Structures are given as C-alpha cells and as structure tokens.
C-alpha cells in the first residue's frame, strides 16, 4: 500500500485483524507501525488495571444517573403539567428527555474534538461538572419554584446543562485506546461496559426510595422528585473523582495514512454496517425503556408514581444491558463482530414480540430483560467493528458521526415513547430492526460463501 492510499475496510474477527496488524507492523520500514491505536507509553501496562476500573466506575455512575432520570423525568413532567395537559400520555411529558438527547446530538462532535485536543480525562471531568451543576438546578427548580409551568421550563434548562454528562459515552473508546494488547481490546471494552451493571441500578432505586420516604413523611410529590436530583449531584462528584484518577496514555492523533473524507469513510462496509446496527438497537432499546414508567403506571392497577415495581423493571433492564458484557468479548473473539451483532438484533426482536403479547408484570419484565441482552451484544460488537475500521487520523470524525446518529435515534425514540400507544411503539421498533437484521444476515451469508470458496480452493 502506498503512503497516500486510503485505508481499506478491515473485516474478519478481532484475532484475524490483530494478526494482520502484527504482520503489517513487521514489514513497516524503520519499525514504524502503520496505524498504532495509541502512542506506546514508556511505562506500558503500568496503569491499565487502574484505568479500566476508573472507566468502569465512570460508566457505572453515568448510567445510574441516566437510567434514574428516565424514570423520574417523565413522571415529574406529568405531575407538573397535570392541570394543563389532561391526558395520560403526551409528548410534553418526555420533552425534557427529548431536550437531553437533542443536546447529545449537538454536543457529540464538539465533545469528540475536545477530547482529541485535551484528552479523555478532561472531557469526562467536564461532563461530571455539568451533571453536578444541572442536578442542583433541577433540585432548586422542583423544590422552591411554585409555578408549575415555570418549573417545567426550568427543568428543561437544567436538563440542557446536565446533558453534557454524555461525555461518558466515549468511555468504550477510551478503554479500547488504553488497552495495550490489540488482541484483548474486545474483551476489555465488553468488561468495562459490563462493569456498568455493578451499581448502575442505584439510579432507578434512588428514584423510588426518595419518593417512598417523601410519601411516608407526607411531603409533596415534586419534593420527592427534587431529592432524586440531590442524589445525582452526589453521583456526579464520584464521576469527577474517578475522572481525575485516570492515568490514560496520551491520545495518538498522528497517522502514517492521511484521513479520508467522512463520506468516504462512511461508505466503507464495516463502518456503515456497525453504525446501522448501533442506531437500530439504540432506538429499539430507548423507546420502550422510556415508555415503561408511564405505560406501567397507567396499565397496572395500584401502581403509583415511581413505584418500586416500576423502577424494578428498569433495574432488571439495566442489569441485562450490562451483565452480558462480561462475556460479549469472548463471543466476539469466537464468532466475530457481524454474527454477534446479528444475534443481538434477533434477541431484541424476540423481546419486542414478548412485549406485544400483553401488559402484565411478566411481559414487562421478561421483555425488557431480553431487550437489554440483545442491546449489549449488538452494541459491544458494533463498537469493536467501528474502532477497527478507521485510521487514527479519522477517529474523531468517525466516533462523532457514530455518536451523533445514536443520540438522534435516542431523541426520536423518547418522543415516540409518549406519543404512540405501547403496541404501536413496539411494532415500530420491530420495523426499525428488520432492515438492520437483513443487513447482518446478508453480511453473514457473504462471510460463509467466502469461507466455502477458500476451502474449495485449498
């Protein structure tokens, strides 16, 4: 390959790409690797365990923050607007979540370039500070504002500020860059994401616990929601502390190969395949999860706002999103990224069929459990395929485009969650997953045909 040629698409399993990279590095003139993922630090491997623990902590706190907010914000909005919007379902109830995901879309590209210039640790710290300030703003609005409409507006402003905690979405890329052994990157990323299951259920549990305590003390419903944001302010301080304890190697922004235009990069088959899968599974995961608090509270008799049975469903869903991460890397190493993404899509499709069968506890709990498992497999495999399909010089472009499209899917899913009925919403998610599943099937069939041709010619 000439120095000026664009990087070819990288396909195959993680081990195959690692071996190919090792062979290519041995042939490079002067011992210079064509595309090392990160600049090798002098104390290589010294801080890897520490970094992985801190990155896992950051992702745990981030998802505890976010999953708790998914329970509280729709119910809080409904309480604020109950005298203005006389309906059990309204897009206004999920407007703050829509604002949150809209800010994610707007900030994805600036955040990617900020981290490229100043480093991952600085970016994660900024996200933690924004979450802390936004949480205090939300607490103050819900606790002290006496006009519901004004409080609702202030809540949306607070959500805009705290949305920059989305910096933590780049944890998986930081984990890949900090791993010193390319052959282990899939396992490392899956375990860092899996570590998010350890304490992330704190978010939904806090949402219910503070509301229960508030009810027992005879407090107003909104005051109970306000105390949840005091809890998230505390979680934000933990995120900031973990970010400052990181000892990540400097990001390598230099590449022997020049950066191709973004349109050219996105036309590479591995890149667009991974992005299509991640966008589809993200939409199919966020839309039902966002709808569950409102749907359960209106469909099952005897449930009150932020009931433990509602948050318990979200907790089980969050656990199922991350616990498979401890083994996802092994599946990817064994089968490759494309087959694992296909399995994830099929499991998510099965979960939505379960959700369509009824609105009992069994359907809600089992459906969201399967939904989380499918998301994890497709998400981890898609991340590894994206990471291995571009050069260092193209990294900021590709990761920002990937995150922007994922966050856009989040925003659309949240708005539809409070607009469509439960059955129509689940049917829409199935319709979104179908094209992505077809792409995975086509890629798998091509891979099988290639293996058969290779065997016949051997």
């Amino acid at each position: 390959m000439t120095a000026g040629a664009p990087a070819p698409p990288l396909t195959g399993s993680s081990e195959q790409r690692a071996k190919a990279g090792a062979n290519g590095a041995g042939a490079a003139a002067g011992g210079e690797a064509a595309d090392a993922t990160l600049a090798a630090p002098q104390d290589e491997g010294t801080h890897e365990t520490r970094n992985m623990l801190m990155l896992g902590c950051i992702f745990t706190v981030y998802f505890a923050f976010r999953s708790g907010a998914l329970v509280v914000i729709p119910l809080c909005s409904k309480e604020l607007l109950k005298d203005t919007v006389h309906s059990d379902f309204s897009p206004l109830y999920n407007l703050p979540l829509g604002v949150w995901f809209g800010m994610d879309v707007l900030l994805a590209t600036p955040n990617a370039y900020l981290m490229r210039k100043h480093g991952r640790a600085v970016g994660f710290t900024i996200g933690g500070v924004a979450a802390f300030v936004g949480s205090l703003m939300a607490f103050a609005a819900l606790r002290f504002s006496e006009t519901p409409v004004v409080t609702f507006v202030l809540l949306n402003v607070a959500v805009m500020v705290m949305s920059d905690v989305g910096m933590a979405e780049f944890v998986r890329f930081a984990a890949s860059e900090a791993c010193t052994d390319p052959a282990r990157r899939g396992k490392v990323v899956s375990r860092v994401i899996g570590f998010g299951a350890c304490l992330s259920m704190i978010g939904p549990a806090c949402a219910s616990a503070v509301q229960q305590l508030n009810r027992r003390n005879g407090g107003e419903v909104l005051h109970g929601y306000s105390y949840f944001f005091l809890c998230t302010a505390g979680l934000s301080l933990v995120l900031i502390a973990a970010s400052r304890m990181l000892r990540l190697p400097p990001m390598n922004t230099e590449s022997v190969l020049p950066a191709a235009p973004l349109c050219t990069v996105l036309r590479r088959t591995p890149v667009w395949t991974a992005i299509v899968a991640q966008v589809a599974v993200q939409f199919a995961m966020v839309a039902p999860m966002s709808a569950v608090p409102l749907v359960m509270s209106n469909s099952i008799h005897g449930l009150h706002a932020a009931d433990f049975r509602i948050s318990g469903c979200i907790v089980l869903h969050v656990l199922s999103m991350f616990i498979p991460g401890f083994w996802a890397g092994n599946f990817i190493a064994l089968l490759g990224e494309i087959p694992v993404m296909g399995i994830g899509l099929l499991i998510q499709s099965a979960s939505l069929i379960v959700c369509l069968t009824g609105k009992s506890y069994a359907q809600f709990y089992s459906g969201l459990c399967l939904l989380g498992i499918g998301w994890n497999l497709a998400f981890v495999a898609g991340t590894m395929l994206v990471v291995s399909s571009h050069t260092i010089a193209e990294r900021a472009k590709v990761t920002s485009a990937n995150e922007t499209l994922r966050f856009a899917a989040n925003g659309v899913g949240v708005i539809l969650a409070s607009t469509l009925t439960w059955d129509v919403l689940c049917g829409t998610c199935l319709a979104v997953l179908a094209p992505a599943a077809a792409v995975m099937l086509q890629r798998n069939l091509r891979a099988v045909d290639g293996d058969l041709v290779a065997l016949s010619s051997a």
Side-chain angles (χ1 to χ4, degrees):
M1 180 186 298
T2 60
L10 303 177
T11 56
S13 69
S14 299
E15 280 88 353
Q16 290 171 338
R17 281 194 297 274
K19 291 176 182 177
N23 293 334
E32 181 180 30
D35 250 335
T37 305
L38 52 94
Q42 294 179 352
D43 57 342
E44 182 174 337
T46 302
H47 299 298
E48 183 173 321
T49 300
R50 174 189 186 137
N51 287 331
M52 297 311 157
L53 288 173
M54 292 303 103
L55 289 171
C57 179
I58 290 170
F59 200 74
T60 295
V61 170
Y62 163 67
F63 219 87
F65 190 109
R66 198 144 195 165
S67 57
L70 281 171
V71 175
V72 167
I73 288 178
L75 297 173
C76 179
S77 300
K78 184 177 179 181
E79 182 68 22
L80 285 169
L81 300 176
K82 63 182 180 181
D83 295 328
T84 305
V85 181
H86 304 284
S87 174
D88 290 334
F89 298 96
S90 171
L92 288 175
Y93 299 156
N94 272 345
L95 179 61
L97 289 180
V99 169
W100 188 327
F101 291 126
M103 291 298 296
D104 284 338
V105 172
L106 294 176
L107 293 173
T109 298
N111 286 347
Y113 282 93
L114 184 148
M115 286 187 170
R116 181 182 180 185
K117 183 175 181 180
H118 299 288
R120 301 289 189 193
V122 172
F124 297 146
T125 303
I126 291 173
V129 171
F132 178 75
V133 174
S135 296
L136 293 183
M137 291 173 63
F139 166 75
L142 294 171
R143 185 67 178 82
F144 301 111
S145 178
E146 297 181 354
T147 307
V149 174
V150 173
T151 305
F152 181 70
V153 172
L154 293 175
L155 177 63
N156 279 272
V157 174
V159 164
M160 292 176 69
V161 175
M162 71 177 69
S163 66
D164 206 33
V165 73
M167 286 270 198
E169 289 281 358
F170 290 89
V171 157
R172 63 193 195 278
F173 298 116
S176 175
E177 294 160 1
C179 179
T180 56
D181 181 5
R184 293 191 301 111
R185 281 184 185 140
K187 295 179 181 179
V188 167
V189 171
S190 67
R191 286 169 184 170
V192 167
I193 293 176
F195 189 52
C198 294
L199 291 173
S200 59
M201 72 285 297
I202 285 178
C206 278
S208 293
V210 294
Q211 191 60 264
Q212 294 279 11
L213 291 173
N214 183 64
R215 283 167 60 88
R216 289 178 184 175
N217 294 328
E220 297 181 16
V221 174
L222 288 178
H223 291 176
Y225 292 133
S226 71
Y227 299 140
F228 165 76
F229 287 104
L230 277 185
C231 295
T232 60
L235 290 175
S236 303
L237 294 177
V238 175
L239 193 156
I240 293 169
S243 300
R244 303 316 302 160
M245 293 175 68
L246 286 170
R247 297 296 182 268
L248 296 170
M251 292 180 64
N252 186 6
T253 58
E254 298 179 0
S255 176
V256 174
L257 300 174
L262 180 60
C263 292
T264 301
V265 177
L266 294 179
R267 282 198 295 268
R268 295 177 192 161
T269 302
V271 175
W272 69 257
T273 299
I275 292 178
V276 165
Q278 288 192 75
V279 169
V281 298
Q282 193 73 16
F283 173 83
M285 184 271 293
V286 168
M289 184 172 72
S290 303
V292 158
L294 291 173
V295 173
M296 286 188 73
S297 62
N298 286 297
S299 301
I300 301 178
H301 180 70
L303 290 184
H304 56 77
D307 192 288
F308 271 112
R309 286 166 289 184
I310 296 177
S311 62
C313 185
I314 300 297
V315 165
L316 179 63
H317 174 65
V318 171
L319 287 172
S320 67
M321 286 174 65
F322 295 120
I323 287 180
F326 291 109
W327 302 280
N330 295 329
F331 293 148
I332 294 169
L334 180 66
L335 302 174
E337 290 91 345
I338 299 294
V340 174
M341 281 194 289
I343 293 170
L345 286 164
L346 289 176
I347 293 175
Q348 275 204 319
S349 299
S351 75
L352 293 167
I353 293 172
V354 170
C355 290
L356 285 169
T357 61
K359 295 179 182 178
S360 68
Y361 287 117
Q363 277 93 0
F364 281 120
Y365 275 71
S366 60
L368 263 72
C369 180
L370 289 173
L371 193 68
I373 293 171
W375 175 87
N376 181 278
L377 295 176
F379 184 71
V380 174
T383 297
M384 294 314 303
L385 191 57
V386 167
V387 165
S388 61
S389 301
H390 59 265
T391 67
I392 295 169
E394 296 161 352
R395 177 149 302 162
K397 293 180 182 179
V398 175
T399 56
S400 64
N402 183 71
E403 297 307 283
T404 297
L405 292 172
R406 281 185 55 247
F407 289 144
N410 286 345
V412 174
V414 164
I415 296 301
L416 292 180
S418 56
T419 305
L420 304 177
T421 64
W422 179 246
D423 291 343
V424 173
L425 181 67
C426 293
T428 302
C429 292
L430 273 174
V432 170
L433 288 176
V439 170
M440 296 303 109
L441 178 61
Q442 183 184 32
R443 292 293 312 280
N444 284 323
L445 290 176
R446 286 182 179 177
V448 170
D449 289 342
D451 291 341
L452 292 175
V453 170
L455 287 172
S456 64
S457 62

